[in-house]
Amino acid sequence: MSLISRCLTTSTEPSSSLSIPLLNLLRACRSIKNLLQVHTHIIQKGYEQDHFIINQFISLCNTFSSDVAYATSVFEHVIHPNVYVWNTLIKGYSKQSSLAGCFVILKQMKRSTIVIPDKYTFPSLVKSCSNALALREGQTVHGLIIRYGADSDVFVGSSLIDLYGKCNQIEYARRIFDEMPLRNEVTWTAMIVGYIYYGDLLQARKLFDEMPHRNIVSWNAMISAYVRFGDLYSARKLFDSMPDKDVVSFTTIIDGYAKTGDMASARFLFDQSSDRDIISWSALISGYAQNGQPNEAIKIFHEMLSMNVRPDEFIMVSLMCACSQLGRLDLANWVEHYMSQNSFDLNQVHIAAALVDMNAKCGNIERATMLFEAMPKRDLVSYCSMIQGLSIHGCGSQAVVFFDRMLNEGLVPDDVSLKVILTACSRAELVKEGCRIFNRMINKYSVNPSPDHYACVVDLLGRSGKLKDAYELIRSMPIEPHAGAWGALLGACKLHCDIEVGQEVSERLFELEPQNTGNYVLLSDIYAAANRWLDVALLRQKMSEKGLRKIPGCSSWVCDGNLCITH
């Protein structure tokens, strides 16, 4: 039985009153396809000019479709739409962030001789200006608000506060706030958010404390502000004092802990939350992936699947990041198969980039290259993924080819991409290419090398046996070299059994990292390789005097059958 048949047969209204069955039809709609069926019925029954029916219809169009063209075509067939129909259409354009469309409809509305904008017209217009940070257009709407006498309405005033706050016009926002005859929780929250956007956290908190009545949105706004400014202590203190918490409250604080690397606190709060949505799961999974705990990210993903929660594209990107860290091709193949089977759009830019990165780092260079070449637009991130993947799997020369191709396509390398290619050259001992890129970095792209860039070149020269050159490079650095550069050179000294340079470098490292036993062990190995056992004994005695102990090496391989997910 069709949607229309079901609704008409279940209606208890008299058959002569067709508007009630039509409303039943509209209430039963769950997709734009259903609306198309109902639209035909509205036309057949002659209800195209019924303002109430058409208003409900356009409102559902706004809900089910991101394209306002259909709603607009329905609206244009109404001969004399009332103000409610006009407002609903404007709301649709605002929802789709079409500022230009909002103003086109407003202009048509103003030309109408039947209706004039009212207090329900303007919040959608102002919101559209706020989303686009369109201050000039917002000021135009503000003028119309005053002209039509809607400036005393609490919701209109709140939307204006939001506009001026987001556009960094905090004085205007506060003036409106102070002059409002009536304020509600929305008004207070808008003003607090305005101060947060402006960067005045103290004033935001002062206003929050002055609120006569707080709702959960205002609590969440203040907690989010503390998280945004990196004050997790205040955020947690406020969170703990909330009378009621919702999923947004938990997710905000979980995400805050994840971004600071405190995954223990993030997981504790996640487990405490009784209501979890897809964003909560995403915050935890991405937190584990971004903090170098890929196995935990995969375990949480598996737990989420077991609870019949369908992942979104952002969770899949985090999962691919975890796979990249593990280098597990079997898991990478499963992830890509799962996404294909569950109708994810693999051509979306961020998904395509993550797929390239995952396949490249898991060793499927052929698949990564195919995905890379299929991308409509390649950026620094996608190029870096290919370069890193090729470098990790011993294809240093190909990595350089990709880097040169990136330059030929007009992309300008940044600090990160330069570090990636220099690392690739170091791994493959491509001295000539690495030095060429380092020199171009300074002379052509005017990038001031960071200590990390210098460390890459030092490692490159050291691995190739050019220890003196590497040592001179460190000494000539215009910035203070960090332990990474000296450590790379000491490792090279061990590789090439160079005692002279090794002793000088280790003395410097002992100053920079007095508690790092690894530096002592490397020098000890250099002495041992040269059969200088007395020096080995003296070095061990020195370590003993400093209370340092050699940490025994170990290796491990995590293998959990639950992680090889096969559904």
Side-chain angles (χ1 to χ4, degrees):
M1 186 181 291
S2 70
L3 173 74
I4 292 174
S5 300
R6 278 188 281 114
C7 288
L8 289 179
T9 54
T10 56
S11 174
T12 57
E13 300 297 320
S15 59
S16 59
S17 178
L18 289 176
S19 63
I20 300 301
L22 278 173
L23 287 176
N24 289 338
L25 284 171
L26 289 171
R27 293 189 188 105
C29 287
R30 294 294 179 267
S31 67
I32 198 70
K33 183 179 179 180
N34 294 153
L35 279 178
L36 287 169
Q37 296 173 343
V38 177
H39 191 195
T40 303
H41 204 63
I42 289 172
I43 294 170
Q44 288 175 346
K45 300 299 180 181
Y47 274 81
E48 284 184 285
Q49 304 305 317
D50 187 299
H51 291 159
F52 188 79
I53 293 291
I54 295 301
N55 189 54
Q56 295 295 313
F57 188 88
I58 292 175
S59 180
L60 287 170
C61 284
N62 296 339
T63 301
F64 297 137
S65 175
S66 59
D67 186 1
V68 290
Y70 183 39
T72 304
S73 67
V74 172
F75 172 85
E76 287 173 347
H77 283 84
V78 182
I79 298 172
H80 297 298
N82 65 12
V83 68
Y84 302 107
V85 180
W86 283 100
N87 289 346
T88 302
L89 186 63
I90 290 173
K91 188 175 182 180
Y93 276 96
S94 175
K95 183 180 177 183
Q96 304 308 325
S97 301
S98 177
L99 183 60
C102 284
F103 274 87
V104 167
I105 302 301
L106 177 65
K107 189 175 181 180
Q108 294 174 1
M109 185 180 186
K110 285 168 61 183
R111 287 176 179 170
S112 172
T113 57
I114 298 175
V115 298
I116 59 172
D118 63 7
K119 64 181 182 181
Y120 299 105
T121 308
F122 295 110
S124 295
L125 287 165
V126 177
K127 182 180 180 181
S128 193
C129 295
S130 297
N131 292 339
L133 300 180
L135 178 60
R136 183 178 298 179
E137 290 82 353
Q139 289 171 327
T140 300
V141 176
H142 191 179
L144 292 172
I145 288 169
I146 296 171
R147 175 182 169 186
Y148 288 104
D151 51 323
S152 61
D153 180 75
V154 65
F155 291 103
V156 173
S158 299
S159 65
L160 285 171
I161 291 169
D162 182 66
L163 166 71
Y164 287 119
K166 287 179 178 176
C167 292
N168 278 327
Q169 301 294 315
I170 199 67
E171 295 86 1
Y172 286 107
R174 187 58 194 253
R175 188 184 306 168
I176 294 169
F177 178 83
D178 290 337
E179 294 176 356
M180 287 181 69
L182 179 66
R183 304 179 194 130
N184 59 14
E185 288 90 346
V186 176
T187 315
W188 284 85
T189 304
M191 192 67 241
I192 289 168
V193 171
Y195 278 119
I196 292 168
Y197 270 93
Y198 193 65
D200 193 343
L201 196 58
L202 290 175
Q203 191 61 41
R205 181 57 192 264
K206 182 175 182 293
L207 206 63
F208 176 81
D209 291 337
E210 292 173 359
M211 279 186 74
H213 303 287
R214 301 180 191 129
N215 60 15
I216 201 162
V217 177
S218 56
W219 282 92
N220 288 340
M222 201 66 233
I223 291 171
S224 178
Y226 281 125
V227 169
R228 177 182 165 191
F229 283 86
D231 187 354
L232 264 294
Y233 173 79
S234 297
R236 181 60 185 271
K237 189 176 179 181
L238 197 63
F239 174 84
D240 289 338
S241 65
M242 287 180 73
D244 297 297
K245 302 176 181 70
D246 65 2
V247 66
V248 176
S249 317
F250 276 94
T251 303
T252 301
I253 201 78
I254 289 168
D255 189 54
Y257 278 121
K259 282 183 167 61
T260 59
D262 187 356
M263 290 309 300
S265 296
R267 181 59 192 269
F268 174 78
L269 286 171
F270 180 83
D271 291 338
Q272 293 295 308
S273 175
S274 58
D275 184 19
R276 302 166 186 163
D277 62 9
I278 194 68
I279 303 174
S280 309
W281 289 98
S282 182
L284 192 66
I285 292 171
S286 66
Y288 278 124
Q290 291 165 13
N291 285 289
Q293 299 182 56
N295 281 311
E296 286 299 317
I298 294 168
K299 283 175 67 178
I300 297 299
F301 177 81
H302 182 58
E303 181 182 331
M304 183 188 71
L305 287 185
S306 70
M307 297 181 70
N308 295 319
V309 178
R310 186 182 186 278
D312 63 8
E313 62 201 69
F314 301 105
I315 287 179
M316 297 311 299
V317 167
S318 295
L319 186 65
M320 286 188 276
C321 176
C323 291
S324 298
Q325 294 174 50
L326 290 170
R328 284 186 53 183
L329 185 56
D330 59 333
L331 194 55
N333 290 336
W334 180 88
V335 169
E336 191 166 349
H337 177 74
Y338 177 87
M339 294 178 73
S340 299
Q341 292 294 107
N342 287 275
S343 304
F344 283 92
D345 183 1
L346 304 186
N347 294 318
Q348 290 188 71
V349 175
H350 60 296
I351 292 180
L355 280 169
V356 169
D357 185 68
M358 178 179 69
N359 280 283
K361 289 178 180 173
C362 290
N364 194 346
I365 301 297
E366 183 179 349
R367 175 64 176 158
T369 303
M370 187 180 77
L371 290 164
F372 178 83
E373 298 296 349
M375 294 178 75
K377 185 178 180 181
R378 292 172 283 274
D379 58 10
L380 287 178
V381 175
S382 53
Y383 265 106
C384 283
S385 295
M386 285 301 302
I387 292 168
Q388 279 186 306
L390 290 165
S391 171
I392 291 168
H393 296 284
C395 305
S397 297
Q398 287 179 257
V400 174
V401 170
F402 266 86
F403 181 78
D404 289 336
R405 176 181 166 185
M406 181 185 83
L407 300 181
N408 292 333
E409 288 190 8
L411 293 172
V412 179
D414 60 4
D415 290 355
V416 175
S417 57
L418 286 163
K419 182 181 175 182
V420 167
I421 188 59
L422 288 173
T423 301
C425 291
S426 175
R427 280 182 175 148
E429 297 184 23
L430 301 173
V431 179
K432 182 180 177 181
E433 291 83 352
C435 290
R436 170 177 64 86
I437 292 167
F438 186 70
N439 289 330
R440 288 182 73 181
M441 167 183 177
I442 300 168
N443 300 323
K444 183 172 181 179
Y445 298 108
S446 301
V447 175
N448 293 322
S450 69
D452 285 339
H453 294 126
Y454 277 107
C456 289
V457 180
V458 167
D459 189 50
L460 168 64
L461 295 171
R463 284 174 186 250
S464 304
K466 300 180 182 294
L467 301 176
K468 298 288 186 184
D469 292 338
Y471 188 43
E472 287 303 316
L473 178 63
I474 291 182
R475 295 185 63 179
S476 66
M477 283 173 60
I479 51 180
E480 186 68 25
H482 58 35
W486 291 108
L489 184 51
L490 186 59
C493 289
K494 177 192 173 185
L495 182 66
H496 297 284
C497 300
D498 191 315
I499 296 176
E500 181 184 352
V501 177
Q503 285 178 320
E504 293 185 46
V505 172
S506 59
E507 288 300 323
R508 183 65 180 135
L509 278 167
F510 295 159
E511 295 175 10
L512 289 172
E513 300 178 320
Q515 300 301 312
N516 187 344
T517 58
N519 298 323
Y520 288 90
V521 172
L522 278 174
L523 181 59
S524 176
D525 290 343
I526 294 171
Y527 285 143
N531 291 321
R532 291 176 54 168
W533 300 108
L534 178 59
D535 289 321
V536 171
L538 290 171
L539 193 61
R540 287 181 177 175
Q541 182 180 349
K542 186 176 181 180
M543 289 176 65
S544 178
E545 290 171 356
K546 291 180 176 289
L548 301 176
R549 294 177 58 194
K550 178 180 176 181
I551 301 173
C554 64
S555 61
S556 63
W557 178 258
V558 179
C559 183
D560 186 343
N562 289 330
L563 302 185
C564 298
I565 310 166
T566 54
H567 287 285

